[in-house]
Amino acid sequence: MITIPDQSSAGVIWSVLAVLAGVLFLVAFVVWARSRDRSIVSLGWFVVMVAIPILGPAGYLVDSRRRARLAASGHKAEDSDYVGSAGTARSTTHDGERR
């Protein structure tokens, strides 16, 4: 049998979600503010954190950990490679050499 929660339990659920969203945003904002990255990608993540309450901050925290692991291993993040090469078309000759 499916039961519909009463008003008090629905209010508790929304309160918990609001607190979770606030804590996640606060943690993600502190991580973002302490980051030295001030690229357009970082600004985009800030907009996503504000626009999508729970998923935005959670996604940023996951992505920042991924970027930290890549930096520690000596690899560049894909986003910076893309931004750095934007607008530079590369072509190759028929034998595979770059022009």
Side-chain angles (χ1 to χ4, degrees):
M1 177 176 194
I2 299 174
T3 60
I4 299 173
D6 60 345
Q7 292 290 353
S8 62
S9 63
V12 170
I13 292 171
W14 284 112
S15 297
V16 168
L17 284 175
V19 168
L20 177 66
V23 168
L24 270 174
F25 179 77
L26 183 65
V27 170
F29 180 75
V30 168
V31 170
W32 179 82
R34 293 182 69 185
S35 171
R36 294 182 182 177
D37 181 22
R38 292 294 177 242
S39 65
I40 192 73
V41 174
S42 177
L43 181 62
W45 268 117
F46 181 76
V47 170
V48 169
M49 286 190 307
V50 171
I52 306 171
I54 293 176
L55 296 177
Y60 176 74
L61 291 172
V62 169
D63 188 54
S64 66
R65 288 189 60 126
R66 180 188 64 88
R67 287 173 177 257
R69 265 184 284 150
L70 284 173
S73 67
H75 292 94
K76 287 186 176 180
E78 297 89 16
D79 296 332
S80 63
D81 289 342
Y82 174 75
V83 171
S85 66
T88 57
R90 294 183 182 148
S91 62
T92 56
T93 61
H94 66 280
D95 59 353
E97 293 181 18
R98 287 187 180 177
R99 286 195 259 172

